Each structure stands twice: as C-alpha cells, then as structure tokens.
Amino acid sequence: MKRRGFLGLAAGGLTIAIALPGCSLLPVLPRRPLPTAEDAMSWLRHEQGRYTLYLPRAEMGQNMLTALKQVACEELGVAWAGVQVRMPDTRSIRRVKATVGSDSIREFALPLAQACATLRDALALGQTQGLLAAEPRPVESLRSFAGRGRHVGRSAPLEQGPAIVCGAPLYAADVRLPGMVYGRVLRAPVSPELASRVKTLREDAARAVPGFVALLRDPGLRLGGSEGVGIVARTPGALARIEAALAIEWQVEGGFEAADVEALINVNTRLAKGALAHRLRDDAAGAQTPWDIDLLLQVPLAAHGALEPRAAVAQWSQPEGLLRLWVGSQDIFYQRDAVARQLGLDETQVSVQACRIGGAFGARMLCTVEMEAAVLARRLGGAVKVQWSRAQELQQGFHRPPSQHRIRARLHEGRVQQWWHAFATSHILFTNAAMPRWMQTVSSFVGDAGAARNAQLPYRVPQQRIEFDLARLPVFTGPWRGLGAGPNAFAVETAWDLLADKAGADPLAFRLAHIDDPRLSAVLGQAARLSRWGHVLPGAAGRLRARGLACGIYKGLSYAATVAEVEVDASSGEWRVLGLSCVHDCGHIINPDQVRAQCEGNLVWGLAMVLSDGLPVGSSAVAAASFAEAPIPRLPQVPPLAVELIDSTQAPTGAGETAMVCAAAAIANALAAATGCRVTRLPVLAGDMLAAMQAQATTRL
C-alpha cells in the first residue's frame, strides 16, 4: 500500500481481518554472542578527522554512552568533543548481545579499546581510507586499562545530559513521522497467561468515533494466551473514545486468586512431598539434633517500576518492502528477529533503531509493544506509534516472581556447621511471557540459573544443601534487576544475621569469621568503618534505633557490603531508614560517578524491597494500574546514601546490580536489631511491625 493510499484509507476508516501463515512452535530465542575486537570495529567510524562511536549497548540510564565514550577518547588520544556517540540500528553494527547482567563494561570495554587502538595506530601510519582488521592486543598495552588517565577513571560530562534536561527527542515516544497515526491493542482485563478472546464488540460504534482509522484482528497481536484487538486513530486522544465505543465483551478460560499464586510457591508443601527438583549443593549430613534456626521467609511479586512506559514506532514502506522500527529495547537484534519471523519477512527487510530507554531493569527484553506497532504498521502500510499506559505495564508486562524460602542451620562451637536452604519460585530466564508451557517443562530438567542467582553462600560452611523448585504461575514472571539475587541474598543474609544472634556474636565479626575471600572481607570491613559500626547511636524517646549489615558477591565477580541505620516508632510501628553506607568493588573503574550512581540505584531498590514492593494480585489479574497501587520510594523516604568505591587493577566486573545482594537485607537486619523482631515477610508494613513488637512484649510477660 502506498503512502497516499494509506492516508486516504485513514480518512475514511478501515477494518482489516487477516491471518498469517503458521509459524514454528519454537519462539524466537535471543542470540548472545560475546563481542570481539573485530565486532568492535563495526562500532567505529572515522571520516575527515571526525570519530563516531555507535553505541553497542542499550542506553537505559546506566550511562553507557558516557562510559564507553571515555574508553574511546582515552584509547584514541582525542579530546572529549572529538568523538560523537550515536545510538545504533541493526544495520549500522554487527549483532551484539542484549544489554543484561551488568556486562557492558566487563565485556565491551576491552574489545572497544582494542578496536580504538587499531584505528589510532592506522591513522598514525597515514591510513585514512578503507576497512581495518582488528588487532587484539594485551590489556597491559591499552591506555584505557592502565589506571587513571585523561578520561578513564575520572568524572566526565554526561552524554545526552543537556538533551535530557531540554526535552530533546531521545526516546521512542518522541519519534514523529509524516502521516503517523496512533495505535493501541486492547486485551481482556486478565493476566495474559489465561486464554482470552473477543466475545462481542460494537464495531459500528467505534467507526463512528471522530478520528477512527482502523480496527484490526490479527494473530500477530496475541500476547501469551490473550487475543489482541488493534485500534488505530489519527490522534492519541481518540484511542480511549474508540475503546469505550467498542464495548468489548471478553471470553476468558480459567481464573485464579492471590491465594492460588501463593499456594504454587508454598515451599513447605513442596518439601512435604520430598526433595525439590533442583540441587545447587547436597552434602549436608543428616544429623538428628534440633536446628538452631528454622526460618520461613516470603518475598512477593514485584514490578520493575520504570518511569517510562514502553513505546515503539513502526513504519512500513510498501515500494521497498521495508519495515523500520524505533524502539526502547535491551536487544534490538532480538526485536528484528522476532518481528521478521512473525511477519514472514527476511531480516534484511527489517531495520530497528535503538532509542534511549527511561528505565528497563530487565523488563525490555521481549518483543511486546514493538510487535504491536510492527503488525499495525505493516497491515496499514504506513507509520504507527504504540505506547503502553502504566496500567498496561503492570498488567501485561512480566514481573519479579514471588518466592518462599525455608532455611535451617546448625551451629557448632560458634561456627555454622550445616546449612539447608530450600526455596520455591517461578521462572526468570525461561519466562512464561515468552516460553510456552512445554518449553518450561523442558527447563524443569535444567533449572533456571536466573532464579537461583546468589542462592550459593559467600561463606565457609562444611555441610550444605541448597535446593529449589520452579512453578509456572498464572501471572507473567521474568528478568528483574539482579534476577534472583535480591530475593535469594535477602533470605541468606537474614538467616545469617539470625545465626550470629544465636551464636551470641557481633554480626560483623560473625561474617568475617566465615569468609575466605579477601575482597569480600575488605568491602565488609570498609563498610563498617564508613558507618561507624559499633558506635552507640543517640537515643530518642519512643524511638528505637539500630544498625544492620549485609554483604555478598554478585555473579562471583563484584563485591558489596551495606550498613543500614533505621529508626522505629515504638508506638505505631512506623519506620524509616536514616542512612545507608555501601562499599563496592567492581574492579577497574571507568567512571566513578556512574558507578556510584548505580550503587545508589541499587540501594534505593533495596529500600523499595523492604518498604513497598509487593504487587497485588486480584481476581485473575495483577490488581494494580498505577504507582498508587504499586508504589516506588518517594524522595522523602530515601535516606542519605554514602558510597565508597574500591578501585583496583582487577578487570572490570560490573556495577549495575551488585548492591542488590546486600541492600534489602541490611535494612531488614537493622529493623530486627532495633525491635528484636526478625523480618520474614516483605514488604514490612507499619501495622505488621507493631503487631510483631506487641506479640514479642506479650511473650516476654
């Protein structure tokens, strides 16, 4: 369809019903190649004395634009203004892996430095034309890995910072194209995990709404078990009126309540049936003496809480048979592959332009709004923008899975002798938002490394048993910042603090006595000094104050320790965090300001886990449509944050998720130290805290 024809149809309204040829039952899977120096050559351009770096990572607020530009400027030996950084599309660079796992500096800085060194040396020899072959060279020969330099190891101007402040068009939602119309995909108000389809709709009433362009029924709009009905309008405001006029009645198969979700991850029920399906360790002796601790800990479903609802713009050019997308995605190549498969196109017919993302945290891995925009644009033959509402983000996206943890341990002469951690949760990497049930069944034989992250102890314990079960839930679950690290480390560090209490030991000394890794000991000791651990806190009438700490190793690579200082109102149970002190070791640091910013983000995320994270589930759906029902910490609730970095000659290991392993547990342990009531269920509500303190007082009487 030509552009002129598209505009003519848009003026009169159009209803389209089509069917796509059958696709393979195997979903499109992301490919995750490790970057090489040769790949990095595709990120660089040099023309007439000007350097351009095409960013090989998604920019979602972690400021890879700035950090990788620092590496390029250092290695090329040019001033800051000498390198222009651009967001890539799938035609400008070679395929790269998704932006996940705090891997951008760890995996991409070295290949980029090698490519820049190759280009620098070629230019020095007078070669200004043609293509260069990368020359990998040892790390010690690279300027950007030689310690603090002209650009690396220092603060730098925030790339795109002024543009953000001035509201320049950086995000997918900012894209404006000639003749562009606006789309929305309507779904049943239930979890997309349930099968749902249209029962009745009032098409004539929708067509009569001013601004109506099209109504589409297309299998490409399906999300999980949910049929999608596409509507298109000339203005965004008309979409809500068209939706109301359609008055769709939905037919839904099955249903669930919050209790059903909780029952599926009930770890005690699962343990009663025998050993759990997956073992990380199994060398615990079967002694019959009582356990010194026996804890049940519960972590709820939680949303990503990104400030920017996802959006995408798609443009179909009929004469060329080309589809172009503008997206805020953590993997533009996956978007290309998924859209090409669904629409029956060759990948050369699809080009995906990366835009800045207003927060992702794992949520922007799948093809959702991008597919909706692509399907609508292809069928209409023009340009369409689709932007999700906050309600769609919460009700159609995937979330951090809930989990239950049963931890038992025994002490011998003040040391932990036996440890048994059993937990039940849902899938993270094998998300039901993308994987059919049969694929998750296959994954049940291999487990889910994302769900198990940080379940392994960072401490020396001779006998351990660590096991877990996975359950497919009726709500979508999937990657969330740090994957399972936050919930699992919260459980481990809460239990470890209780063990210190049972042993009559200081929590800091107890941890240090069980640590063999000198880098973990170093961050823990420095965090204690930073927070003045052991110094008596000033008292206040009716206020209970205390400190708590936690530490951990993220992905076996990066180290963090956090000390929290809290205050609890003894009469109401209201509590607040007075301060958080964090020490972080992620090896060689490119930009200390940005590493601190990542640590601060993790600390606030840990605060949210304890303070407010708990996505409510209602009748067959997530029962939240806004931040009012799924709150994030407000600025007055965020305490002073003190972050110290340990810079070293060790290779960079990642900073984006590390402090997730200790932030929440440090706060929970501080609350326990202040009140004597151990936190076993998140979030910690004031009423629950007061009830626990009152119950404890009654028990003492």
Side-chain angles (χ1 to χ4, degrees), residues 162-184:
I164 294 172
V165 173
C166 297
L170 300 174
Y171 302 87
D174 297 329
V175 174
R176 302 288 188 273
L177 299 176
M180 185 176 75
V181 292
Y182 301 86
R184 179 178 298 170

Side-chain angles (χ1 to χ4, degrees), residues 3-47:
R3 165 69 64 181
R4 187 172 300 169
F6 166 68
L7 293 176
L9 289 170
L14 174 68
T15 299
I16 304 174
I18 58 91
L20 292 175
C23 294
S24 167
L25 292 177
L26 183 68
V28 176
L29 299 177
R31 285 181 268 172
R32 301 273 176 88
L34 288 175
T36 65
E38 192 63 34
D39 294 327
M41 295 304 301
S42 76
W43 312 340
L44 295 168
R45 306 285 191 277
H46 178 266
E47 187 176 2

